[in-house]
Amino acid sequence: MAEFTDAIALLKADHRKVEKLFEQYEAASGAAAKKKLSHQICVELKIHTTLEEEIFYPAYRGKIEDDILDEAYVEHDGAKILINDIEAGSPEDDFYDAKVHVLSEEITHHVHEEEMPSEGMFAECRKVEEVDLVAMRDAMLARKEELLAQEESEGLPPAAPRAVKLVAA
């Protein structure tokens, strides 16, 4: 479990993994390769957002600015809509590559906001002394193992947006 020094290091490692998967997708050719990579991307992002929303973000509610956390939840929701569309689709579908590309752009923006030196979410979180980031890492790794086992046995459910309210026209 000591592979990652703390919860933030674990989240950053997830960011790097997904960035590599997006790069592999961009270089891929053939529907089967693209479907496999897009599925890996979606699984990684579903697990990552679950860890942040169940464990990381709640630990900092009331300890860093609510606006930072609220924006992160809304960014997750935008990503979840695309994740569900990608998972339900096929590389042969119209706009499939565009959806993966836009998801990549959204994730790049989100990662930048979390990782910005001195003013990003992670920098703000590091200033909060009463949160044990090592214990949080352990809880996140345990939850990640549960989610990976669930993915292998039955697949993860669709990513459910929690903050965005879509209103019918």
Side-chain angles (χ1 to χ4, degrees), residues 39 43 46 87 147-158:
H39 177 71
V43 167
K46 283 194 246 182
E87 286 279 77
L147 292 166
L148 286 168
Q150 180 182 345
E151 164 59 20
E152 285 181 24
S153 67
E154 64 207 56
L156 294 172

Side-chain angles (χ1 to χ4, degrees), residues 3 8 28 31 34 41 67 76-77 79 85 92 94 101 148 153:
E3 180 182 352
I8 291 173
K34 285 185 171 191
I41 289 166
D67 289 354
H76 279 191
D77 285 355
D85 282 355
E92 294 93 0
D94 289 341
H101 184 76
L148 286 168
S153 67

Side-chain angles (χ1 to χ4, degrees), residues 114-134:
E114 286 186 338
E115 294 189 8
M116 267 190 304
S118 72
E119 62 215 36
M121 178 192 292
F122 291 167
E124 292 298 313
C125 292
R126 286 217 181 270
K127 295 174 190 172
V128 177
E129 294 179 10
E130 64 263 27
V131 175
D132 183 342
L133 286 166
V134 174

Side-chain angles (χ1 to χ4, degrees), residues 71-146:
E71 187 173 323
Y73 280 114
V74 173
E75 288 172 352
H76 279 191
D77 285 355
K80 289 174 186 178
I81 291 166
L82 281 170
I83 288 166
N84 290 339
D85 282 355
I86 291 165
E87 286 279 77
S90 164
E92 294 93 0
D93 295 346
D94 289 341
F95 306 111
Y96 190 86
D97 285 337
K99 288 175 184 178
V100 174
H101 184 76
V102 170
L103 179 62
S104 174
E105 289 176 337
E106 287 185 7
I107 297 305
T108 298
H109 170 81
H110 180 73
V111 165
H112 174 74
E113 295 213 332
E114 286 186 338
E115 294 189 8
M116 267 190 304
S118 72
E119 62 215 36
M121 178 192 292
F122 291 167
E124 292 298 313
C125 292
R126 286 217 181 270
K127 295 174 190 172
V128 177
E129 294 179 10
E130 64 263 27
V131 175
D132 183 342
L133 286 166
V134 174
M136 184 185 294
R137 171 205 64 197
D138 295 345
M140 289 168 65
L141 284 169
R143 182 65 174 127
K144 190 172 192 173
E145 285 179 25
E146 290 173 9

